Every structure is written in structure tokens, then in C-alpha cells.
Amino acid sequence: MTLLITGGAGFIGSAIVTAALDRGDDVRVLDSLRDDVHGGQPDIDPRVDFIRGDVRDADVVRSALDGVDVVCHQAAKVGLGVDFADAPDYVSSNDLGTAVLLAAMAEAGVMRLVVASSMVVYGEGSYRGAAGLTRPAPRRVEDLDAGRFDPLDADGGALVPQLIAEDAPLDPRNVYAITKLTQEYLATSWARSTGGRAAALRYHNVYGPGMPQNTPYAGVASLFRSALQRGEAPRVFEDGAQRRDFVHVRDIASANLAAIDFTAGPGAGGPGAAGSGAMDASFRPFNVGSGTVHTIGEMAEQLSIHAGGPAPVVTGEYRLGDVRHITASSARLQSELGWTPRETFESGMREFATAPLRAAVTPK
């Protein structure tokens, strides 16, 4: 099988490349090596057929698709951005790029797709209150200023965080989240119109060796890790009790291989498979998480311990629009595709505390 991995030189893409090569796939990588993603020249496995080019360039994409059986689409501008001025680049990089890729796939007759999505399509996580399952409104500034970080129901009552499943309502709350959901809808339209088969993997909090460091777009895990590398204490926002599902990049890679195999099979899914009722059997979304819940404070503490660095500092600061709690139910991925995460939180944090990171980059 010949596999095209867009963004295959990136943090997650390179892990998928390694896993695919190790199981015997032929791998081609299309990556622009843009400066705000890659600090310096990344190492490309010599077994890879590498093409340097932008996924928005139709001629380059057509060439990259020659002889390909399945596309694993990882190329994207990630993170929450710095300000709204980043919006055009997000929309162009993520949505225009996906549209160009899908149009070229339709032209070339490539009928199998895995697209990298994200937990951010849900907005806030799932909660249970007095009236049952609910999705709270965005948190109010006056509550955050007063240190009241947990969302409340409409009557001011407490809410209990729940694992979120793929059939939860979709509520993207920032530009990046909107572009990820748009990628899913584009993939759905492509699958319906061509008869192709697509899977979207909604990644939860990914971490591991080779994460990018020291950029406004980096995840909290790499920011804590970079602080410790500088001899500084990790700075934890709010009260550190934000619940997350931290999933190791090697488990993300194995989930992609399972999804690639899924795209070769018969139709799956059903009404509302994507959580909105708008997507059909040719498209299937899957949460990808470890299945265990930890807090951001616990992650910072584990990294500090294993790095031998200063203890985390809980600052009480907040970023308006941040999600309080979101944790994954990966039951669909496990039951339908037979995928199981292998990396535990404890072993993963022990490794990550001293693992090499990608060089710092200058964001656009």
C-alpha cells in the first residue's frame, strides 16, 4: 500500500510516518516545511519519498497523489493563534488546503482518506447537572475574575464533567476550531460526491518527544516542558484542576494506522455519526484519547518531578475562551477499529520530561 502523509515532517506526521514504515507501507510525504512549524530542517527518513510543497498548490498535490492508495491528511496550522489577525492564515492553510487536496483526490480517483481533526470541535466538554446531560455556555468574565472557574448550569448549580462522545453537539468556539470542523465537512462532501470513504480523528491533548517548543501555538505540555528545560517553574493557569485526556503521539500514530485500515472496508456509521446528524455512512469521526483523566496541574507536577525541576506555580490567570474540562470517550475507536492505547500517563510523562523537543520557531 502506498500512503501519502501530508504534513508528514511535523510532530504528529513524523510519528505516523515511522509507524507506517515499520509495518511495511510505502510512504510519500508532502510538507511545505513552513518556518512557523519547523525549527530548522527536520530529519526525513531516507525510506520516504519526500516532496516539498504546499498542500494549497494543486499541481504539487496532483503530482504527490500519483500511485497513492490512501491519504493521511495531517497538514494544518495548529493552535489557537495569537489574535484574530491569524484568521486568514488558518482558513487558507486548513480549509483551502483541504479543499485543494480533496479536489485533486477526486480527479485522481484516490478514494480513501484519514483527516486529522481535534477535540476543539466540541467547544466546552460534556457535563451532567440536575437536569441531566448539558453543555454550558461560555464562562463569564466576572466568574473567572473571582476565581470561579467551573461552569455552572442556567440556575447556578454545579455541573459534573463527563467523558465526551462523538455524538455530542459540535460547538467550535475559535477560528482554529472552526477550520477543523470545516475540514470534517469538506471530507464529508468529498466522500458523498465521489463514493470515497473518510475517517476523522479528533485528537485530544497530544504530547511526546519531538513536540515543538516555545511558540504561541504550542500545546501546554510543551510549554511546561520548555520552562523546565530553562530551569523555570511551569506556570499553571486557573487552579490547575482543568481535566484533560493526555494521549501520547505514538498512540496517535497507531490510531491513524487503524483508521487507514478502516477506510478500506465497507460503509460504517449511521444517523448522526458525527454528532450533528449531517454526516452519513461514508464518513466516520473517532475521538483519540488515552481513556484516562488527569488534570493540567497533575501533568505539570509529574513533569517537574521527572525533570528534577522546580515545582509548578498555580497562577490563577486565565485565557478567555479556554475550555475548563474536556475528556474523551475513545470507546468507538476501540470497539470499531480494535485500537488500544499503549502508553500510560506515568510512563509517558517520565519519558517526556527529558525527551528532546523541536527547535523553537518564529510564528507568522
Side-chain angles (χ1 to χ4, degrees), residues 34-35 48 90-91 103 105 108 127 133 153 174 177 179 188 196 206 213 237 297 299 310 314 320 332-333:
R34 54 188 288 174
D35 293 338
V48 165
Y90 274 105
V91 172
M105 289 176 64
Y127 296 80
L133 287 176
D153 66 19
N174 56 61
T179 67
T188 306
V206 187
Q213 61 168 314
F237 279 19
M299 179 185 67
V314 178
L320 195 63
R332 174 183 291 181
L333 184 60

Side-chain angles (χ1 to χ4, degrees), residues 29 76 98 129 196 203 212 214 222 301 322 329 334 339 341 349 351 357:
V29 165
T98 299
Y203 301 155
N214 295 342
S222 70
E301 182 179 18
D322 274 0
S329 169
Q334 297 186 35
W339 173 84
M349 290 298 157
E351 174 196 35
L357 301 179

Side-chain angles (χ1 to χ4, degrees), residues 201-204 247 251-252 255 286-290 328 330 333 339:
L201 298 184
R202 293 173 179 168
Y203 301 155
H204 283 247
V247 57
D251 285 330
I252 292 288
F286 298 93
N287 286 334
V288 190
S290 69
S330 299
L333 184 60
W339 173 84

Side-chain angles (χ1 to χ4, degrees), residues 13-104:
S14 60
I16 301 170
V17 167
T18 298
L21 288 170
D22 287 348
R23 77 168 188 176
D25 294 334
D26 293 324
V27 177
R28 180 174 299 150
V29 165
L30 172 62
D31 200 301
S32 65
L33 303 184
R34 54 188 288 174
D35 293 338
D36 59 336
V37 175
H38 302 282
Q41 181 73 24
D43 293 329
I44 307 296
D45 192 297
R47 296 172 291 174
V48 165
D49 178 12
F50 179 74
I51 299 174
R52 181 169 184 172
D54 196 306
V55 75
R56 294 168 289 189
D57 186 327
D59 291 336
V60 170
V61 172
R62 290 190 192 101
S63 176
L65 286 170
D66 183 42
V68 165
D69 299 301
V70 56
V71 174
C72 185
H73 183 36
Q74 306 294 315
K77 181 179 176 73
V78 301
L80 300 183
V82 177
D83 54 42
F84 201 81
D86 290 331
D89 193 22
Y90 274 105
V91 172
S92 176
S93 300
N94 297 355
D95 297 338
L96 176 60
T98 299
V100 170
L101 172 67
L102 293 175

Side-chain angles (χ1 to χ4, degrees), residues 10 34 39 86 116 147 155 158 172 175 186 196 232 240 256 260 272:
R34 54 188 288 174
D86 290 331
D155 298 322
V175 171
L186 287 167
E232 302 171 4
N256 272 272
I260 287 166

